Amino acid sequence: MKVYLSRPDINEDDINAVVEVLKSPNLSFGPKIPEFEEKLAKYIGRKYAVAVNSGTSGLFMCLKALGIGKGDEVITTPFTFIASTTSILMVDAKPVFVDIDPVSLNIDPKKIEAKINAKTKAILPVAVFGNPTGLDEVWKIAQKHNLPVIEDSCEALGSELGGKKVGNFGTLSNFAFYPNKQMTTGEGGMILTDDENLADICKSFRNQGRGKGGGWLAHERLGYNFRISDINAALGISQLARIEQFIGKRQKVAEMYQQMLADEARIIVPRSPDKCRVSWFVFVVRLKEPYISKRDAILNAMLAEGIQVSNYFPPVTLQPFMVEQFGYKDGDFPISDSVCKSTIALPFYNNLTKDDAALVCKTLKKCLDKTI
Ligand SMILES: *Cc1c(COP(=O)(O)O)cnc(C)c1O
């Protein structure tokens, strides 16, 4: 590969922070976990934080903590990473999909109320690609119907909507720190809430069902091991200290692409929406007709040229196990299904250079020329 899809941004401070933990006796459940939790809660502006071993286990625990299970429905989006949906299936609840807004690519708030019924127990919106558009409207609808919101903001750390940070639009909100996210802990996630009781239940689930102040071998409820280690948490603290710098670097890369692709009429280039600060997760362009049917050929041509691109996202509803369980077919969610066919995620990370971006754009144009 000449240009990778994603790269973490690790410096000497990060390495030293990890090594410091390795020299301590507390490789897990030491002082770095509460420090990471406090710092992230403060950055987002919420009362309680629970650090976990992945974004997926965080979403699962949020649903569990709200008592959602068999026979319950959770309203969500079909245009997302698979974990938004699998977390709902993991608690035996049913995901109920609402099609997306064609501009923001997030769940369309206007279409939510039609899907609310007596079985609906929560709404799980996603700030896709870092775009927080609509989270405020989802929150309002949920308030009106007395439903909790589980905010999947695993792609949107640092984004803001109407001056408010993402992570403040859910009863429980989630971030994730896999190496392709805005900041990384290797593997990891964080649940945020203002509800002390929910935070305590999540902490108990995380740690084998142990209770507050109880003994190591006292288990109050069915729990799990979803602990993050002190090693990962130390990396998180060190990365979080540079989060604003990271977001600034990503904004610059997004602007480079926007400038270089400004005259490219064959694609739709993402823009920062109104009222928002986008903390860019990925940079996804969309093909226009007549190029859409050639998307996979264009992806392969770019890969062959050493440019690592991807098809974020294929529809959740059309994954084989979803089709088998629910019988969804192409076109059930017309906007999401058609957007999914047109996307190309370009290489995108903090330290992508102007030369890299120029090569990506030149190769994209060349592959478009070759196709038709
Ligand atoms: C990354 C991500 C997650 C969580 O992923 P993990 O790999 O489990 O940390 C959840 N939802 C979305 C939308 C994501 O992009």
Side-chain angles (χ1 to χ4, degrees), residues 117-267:
N117 64 46
K119 289 184 186 164
T120 311
K121 289 289 149 34
I123 308 176
L124 195 156
V126 183
V128 170
F129 305 153
N131 183 346
T133 302
L135 285 179
D136 49 351
E137 289 168 68
V138 172
W139 180 248
K140 266 189 224 145
I141 294 162
Q143 293 288 98
K144 184 175 153 198
H145 294 270
N146 211 7
L147 290 168
V149 173
I150 296 148
E151 184 192 338
D152 180 350
S153 287
C154 291
E155 301 187 357
L157 181 67
S159 291
E160 291 173 17
L161 175 56
K164 211 158 99 175
K165 272 218 170 61
V166 159
N168 287 288
F169 296 92
T171 315
L172 294 141
S173 302
N174 287 269
F175 293 105
F177 311 116
Y178 189 73
N180 70 338
K181 309 285 185 188
Q182 285 87 340
M183 59 163 268
T184 188
T185 59
E187 291 280 3
M190 189 79 79
I191 300 166
L192 293 168
T193 183
D194 293 331
D195 185 318
E196 187 177 12
N197 184 41
L198 289 174
D200 285 345
I201 296 171
C202 289
K203 282 186 179 171
S204 175
F205 282 148
R206 167 180 77 177
N207 190 21
Q208 306 283 17
R210 293 179 176 108
K212 231 181 178 178
W216 191 249
L217 295 178
H219 307 275
E220 289 181 359
R221 56 169 62 78
L222 170 66
Y224 311 88
N225 179 356
F226 290 145
R227 295 186 302 256
I228 191 170
S229 80
D230 249 38
I231 304 167
N232 301 84
L235 179 55
I237 295 164
S238 181
Q239 288 259 301
L240 184 60
R242 305 205 300 290
I243 187 65
E244 287 299 314
Q245 184 198 322
F246 289 177
I247 293 167
K249 284 181 174 183
R250 297 172 94 84
Q251 175 65 29
K252 286 227 170 66
V253 176
E255 282 167 16
M256 283 192 299
Y257 276 137
Q258 284 166 339
Q259 277 162 21
M260 290 177 188
L261 295 170
D263 62 349
E264 181 46 78
R266 295 170 289 186
I267 59 173

Side-chain angles (χ1 to χ4, degrees), residues 55 72 104 167 218 331 340 342-343 348 357:
D72 297 337
S104 74
C340 288
S342 70
T343 55
F348 191 77

